[in-house]
Amino acid sequence: MPMNSDSLPKDPSALQQRRQANMFLIRLQWVVILLLIAALLWLYISQQRFEHTVNERLQSNEQVVSRLNEMDDRLFAVSQQAVPTPRTAASSQAQNQLDLLRIQVQAADRLLADSNNSAAIDLLQGLHWQLSQSSNEIAPALTVVIKQSLVKDIERLQARSAQPSPWQLQNLAIQNIQDFLYRHERAVYVDIGANADTSQKNTSTNNSNLTRKQLTIHEVIMTLNLASQASNMHDREQLVTYLNEAGKQLQTLVPKKLGQPIDDSKPVTEDNSLSAKSSPKSIAEVIEGLDRLIANAPTASPLLTSQILNKPRR
């Protein structure tokens, strides 16, 4: 009996523990079920959002595609209306080649202005070869005329290359005049020393006149330096301006009848032609030499091909 009385109190405790375990398991199951339900709801909501986003993008893409199709249809319609005939396309190609040829000939004119005859000849020879190629779309008659003018220009430039440049002749003539004026200025300075032994009154008067003459010659030399620079830059307008100014300055040193300038309208004959080797022997001859330099100032001589290409056509 005592054994049974000791075991009875333990049974209720075991039953209570089982009940607690069962309750814990039940609660755990409900927690798991709730978590599963929450997960399913989250997945469902995410799927709905994703489908909504995809649908919006598809709709926007369809709108873009439809607009692109409309633009493509419009462009196709416009292109069909603007398609030129083969003759028009060929004419446009020929016009483009003519425009390019004008630009290249203008470049040759610029090379000539810079006295680069060899480069200009090479360029013109290249243009002549270019017109002989099968890719040339310019009209045959016009092609023949342009090629003939290119040949004439090339021959003229080759002949000119064997002779001194007109600008070089101008510089040499100006240098000869300056050399004479330097000698003349030194001679005036010697005259000042020679007159130092005369009377006080005469010496003062002569020295004043000689000093004025010496200053004038020096100013003329400086003006001719500017004229030489203008000639080096191939600036005809500045060259003529400085030569005229030098002539006017020198006319104050000679009698009026000897200082009359040469008429520029005279034809350039052998007596009135530019001579780079001759040296003047007096101020009057210097003035005449300056007038000849002005009359023979180099002028731009455009290419025959340039004149043909720039000629208005019907």
Side-chain angles (χ1 to χ4, degrees):
M1 291 300 291
M3 294 291 294
N4 294 331
S5 61
D6 293 333
S7 61
L8 288 174
K10 296 180 179 179
D11 294 334
S13 176
L15 291 174
Q16 187 178 1
Q17 290 178 355
R18 288 180 181 178
R19 290 176 181 176
Q20 291 178 352
N22 290 333
M23 291 296 294
F24 176 78
L25 291 174
I26 292 171
R27 291 176 181 176
L28 182 62
Q29 289 175 356
W30 278 108
V31 171
V32 173
I33 291 171
L34 291 175
L35 289 175
L36 290 174
I37 294 172
L40 291 174
L41 289 174
W42 180 80
L43 289 174
Y44 177 78
I45 294 172
S46 298
Q47 183 180 5
Q48 292 297 321
R49 289 180 179 176
F50 179 76
E51 289 179 357
H52 181 68
T53 303
V54 170
N55 290 332
E56 287 182 349
R57 291 183 179 179
L58 289 175
Q59 290 178 358
S60 62
N61 289 336
E62 288 177 358
Q63 293 177 357
V64 171
V65 170
S66 62
R67 291 179 182 177
L68 290 175
N69 290 333
E70 291 177 359
M71 293 178 62
D72 188 37
D73 293 337
R74 293 177 183 176
L75 290 174
F76 180 78
V78 172
S79 63
Q80 289 297 320
Q81 296 176 359
V83 170
T85 61
R87 179 177 299 178
T88 304
S91 176
S92 177
Q93 180 67 16
Q95 185 62 41
N96 291 336
Q97 290 183 354
L98 272 175
D99 293 339
L100 179 59
L101 189 62
R102 288 191 183 94
I103 295 174
Q104 291 170 324
V105 172
Q106 289 175 0
D109 276 325
R110 183 59 186 171
L111 290 173
L112 291 178
D114 295 336
S115 297
N116 195 346
N117 292 346
S118 60
I121 291 173
D122 292 340
L123 178 56
L124 295 179
Q125 289 175 341
L127 295 179
H128 187 276
W129 175 85
Q130 178 179 320
L131 291 174
S132 303
Q133 302 305 305
S134 59
S135 59
N136 178 34
E137 297 290 343
I138 302 175
L142 181 58
T143 298
V144 172
V145 173
I146 296 175
K147 289 175 68 175
Q148 290 176 351
S149 65
L150 286 172
V151 171
K152 292 180 180 179
D153 286 331
I154 292 171
E155 292 177 349
R156 180 169 63 90
L157 293 180
Q158 288 175 341
R160 182 193 297 181
S161 299
Q163 301 175 356
S165 167
W167 298 103
Q168 293 176 347
L169 294 176
Q170 285 276 336
N171 283 336
L172 290 175
I174 292 173
Q175 184 178 357
N176 287 336
I177 292 175
Q178 286 181 310
D179 291 341
F180 168 79
L181 292 177
Y182 278 123
R183 293 194 302 270
H184 192 74
E185 186 181 20
R186 287 196 295 269
V188 170
Y189 182 79
V190 173
D191 289 341
I192 293 177
N195 291 331
D197 296 334
T198 59
S199 63
Q200 185 68 26
K201 181 178 179 179
N202 292 335
T203 301
S204 176
T205 303
N206 291 336
N207 286 345
S208 176
N209 292 333
L210 290 173
T211 301
R212 181 181 61 83
K213 185 175 182 180
Q214 196 173 14
L215 289 175
T216 300
I217 293 174
H218 183 72
E219 290 178 358
V220 172
I221 292 174
M222 298 303 296
T223 303
L224 291 177
N225 285 335
L226 297 176
S228 181
Q229 293 178 7
S231 179
N232 290 331
M233 298 176 63
H234 297 178
D235 190 339
R236 185 181 188 277
E237 182 178 356
Q238 289 293 330
L239 173 64
V240 172
T241 299
Y242 290 129
L243 292 178
N244 273 321
E245 183 178 351
K248 291 178 182 179
Q249 292 170 340
L250 286 176
Q251 285 177 3
T252 62
L253 303 181
V254 296
K256 189 174 182 180
K257 63 180 181 179
L258 295 178
Q260 295 295 334
I262 295 176
D263 187 3
D264 292 350
S265 62
K266 288 183 179 180
V268 180
T269 61
E270 184 176 354
D271 295 334
N272 194 35
S273 61
L274 179 64
S275 177
K277 296 182 180 180
S278 61
S279 180
K281 297 179 176 59
S282 64
I283 297 295
E285 289 186 8
V286 170
I287 296 175
E288 293 177 357
L290 291 175
D291 291 333
R292 283 194 294 271
L293 289 176
I294 294 172
N296 292 277
T299 56
S301 180
L303 295 170
L304 177 61
T305 306
S306 179
Q307 299 176 17
I308 291 175
L309 292 175
N310 294 329
K311 184 179 180 181
R313 298 184 180 276
R314 295 180 182 178

